[in-house]
Amino acid sequence: QGAQEDAENSLRELAALAETAGASVLDGLLQRRPHPDPATYLGRGKAEELGMIVANLGADTVIADTELAPSQRRALEDVVKVKVIDRTAVILDIFSQHAKTREGKAQVELAQLEYLLPRLRGWGESMSRQAGGQTAGGAGMGSRGPGETKIELDRRRIHSRMAKLRKQIQSFAPAREAKRANRKRNVIPSVVIAGYTNAGKSSLLNRLTRAGVLVENALFATLDSTVRKTRAEDGRRYTLADTVGFVRNLPHQLVEAFRSTLEEAADADVIVHVVDASHPDPASQIATVRDVLGEVDARDIPEIVAFNKADLADADARLLLRGLHPDAVFVSARTGEGVEELLERIQSLLPDLGTEVDVLVP
Ligand code: GDP
């Protein structure tokens, strides 16, 4: 039962991701089986059923909610007769559309090449299969000959490009350090907004700072973090920064790219962890966000859980969420509910700076 629900949630997110990437999603298909079929992932029968759905709807792409082995992807394509891609390809697509900084772009390109490398052989094979059909005499035939030489060349070129990108990324690190050091010298406390994609982070940032940040009803509207300067009621300044949204099952090749953008969270004085109160499974989202924050050494930073979209949560839902996190603040970036309370909470957690204490010695 839980597995079914989990698969449905994951599929829902995949659909949202695909739409963010610019696709329109026509249908979804869930296959329950103890293990993926090694040949076609879905199993022959289900793959054929999918092929019929594809033909009926006139779809041009199938997206699998998993990482497919190159051979599975090819076998599925043979059955459904349209392009088959996987979840990672979709996320990479979105990353590449939205990466803005030089470092972000380099990280994304590196992730793309890492993803491409093990798949070269598969593409090479199907390419030479098409090109040299008359000479193909056996299963492994297509992978030999000129096709393989070209792949070897491509592979070498990709490796050297990757090495270059890694160097570039390393060279960015000091700049980041300098920025951090600078901020520390200015002693401006920093507040970072983290949370799942589509939880309403940039809407909330807008509410909190009245900054004109782009808000899109799309995942990854804010791939690059946005920093705003703001001021607490008592006059203390602090920065408020939005971070890249989390996604379920982030492919491991993307973890580095994702993490590099989250690194600044490790230097934050306060983390506002935004959770979509209308999401079907907030508990697992909260757990994932906390796991990753732990990985970037942000575990010990004071955290405020903010259940956003409170306007969509009825009394029962609130009770449930309250049970999950008694200390959470309910907010709505849309209606403004709870925003004052959140600001007060942030203010109460800002470190006390520059307070001079006179010690009287009797
Ligand atoms: P982000 O990806 O976390 O930055 O999320 P966005 O700020 O882009 O918001 C995602 C979607 O949720 C947008 O369509 C927003 O209009 C919507 N949204 C954000 N906050 C609220 C809220 O408090 N209530 C409702 N009903 N929708 C919201």
Side-chain angles (χ1 to χ4, degrees), residues 2-298:
Q4 171 87 14
E5 210 172 284
D6 208 47
E8 280 168 11
N9 287 342
S10 183
L11 213 58
R12 212 171 291 132
E13 188 187 83
L14 181 66
L17 284 167
E19 294 197 332
T20 301
S24 48
V25 177
L26 302 177
D27 202 358
L29 182 75
L30 206 57
Q31 160 75 316
R32 195 213 285 257
R33 49 180 297 148
H35 303 287
D37 180 54
T40 59
Y41 185 69
L42 286 175
R44 186 83 203 175
K46 201 69 172 184
E48 274 164 7
E49 187 189 316
L50 178 63
M52 265 161 42
I53 294 173
V54 165
N56 281 338
L57 294 172
D60 56 22
T61 309
V62 166
I63 307 173
D65 192 19
T66 183
E67 236 176 71
L68 294 173
S71 64
Q72 286 173 329
R73 191 181 59 78
R74 264 178 290 134
L76 253 184
E77 280 186 348
D78 284 347
V79 180
V80 301
K81 312 278 187 238
V82 293
K83 183 171 64 177
V84 174
I85 60 174
D86 60 22
R87 179 180 246 269
T88 307
V90 176
I91 294 176
L92 276 169
D93 204 65
I94 297 167
F95 267 60
S96 72
Q97 281 178 44
H98 290 265
K100 288 186 187 73
T101 64
R102 276 173 60 213
E103 177 171 12
K105 280 181 180 159
Q107 289 278 19
V108 171
E109 191 184 343
L110 185 62
Q112 281 175 317
L113 295 177
E114 263 164 15
Y115 175 77
L116 183 67
L117 208 52
R119 285 163 182 80
L120 271 187
R121 184 203 268 275
W123 288 339
E125 270 174 16
S126 53
M127 258 153 31
S128 52
R129 240 188 337 181
Q130 280 166 3
Q134 70 275 37
T135 59
M141 281 295 280
S143 61
R144 284 185 287 268
E148 190 69 2
T149 314
K150 171 150 189 332
I151 290 164
E152 209 33 65
L153 245 167
D154 286 347
R155 198 170 283 157
R156 234 171 294 154
R157 220 178 302 151
I158 287 174
H159 273 298
S160 72
R161 178 73 187 148
M162 285 168 76
K164 202 170 164 186
L165 286 168
R166 288 203 181 91
K167 250 201 210 136
Q168 235 177 55
I169 289 163
Q170 272 186 340
S171 76
F172 289 133
R176 223 167 30 207
E177 284 301 317
K179 230 176 6 199
R180 268 185 219 164
N182 196 32
R183 205 197 55 224
K184 284 208 170 117
R185 220 177 299 126
N186 289 336
V187 242
I188 297 177
S190 84
V191 178
V192 155
I193 303 177
Y196 258 78
T197 207
N198 240 30
K201 295 184 304 303
S202 55
S203 307
L204 207 54
L205 180 70
N206 282 346
R207 265 287 177 184
L208 294 173
T209 64
R210 309 211 153 69
V213 180
L214 173 78
V215 178
E216 282 174 25
N217 186 14
L219 313 169
F220 294 103
T222 49
L223 185 78
D224 290 298
S225 58
T226 323
V227 186
R228 293 273 173 272
K229 265 193 191 145
T230 187
R231 197 189 277 272
E233 259 174 18
D234 60 9
R236 280 183 295 170
R237 290 170 181 283
Y238 60 97
T239 60
L240 198 59
D242 193 5
T243 58
V244 183
F246 284 66
V247 285
R248 296 164 59 94
N249 316 318
L250 184 72
H252 73 271
Q253 301 101 313
L254 295 183
V255 169
E256 271 313 308
F258 179 65
R259 201 178 298 183
S260 78
T261 61
L262 263 191
E263 259 188 2
E264 66 187 354
D267 289 333
D269 295 297
V270 178
I271 292 178
V272 177
H273 178 167
V274 182
V275 182
D276 182 349
S278 67
H279 191 275
D281 186 12
S284 81
Q285 293 208 329
I286 292 170
T288 307
V289 172
R290 287 187 165 162
D291 275 355
V292 177
L293 288 176
E295 282 166 25
V296 298
D297 294 323

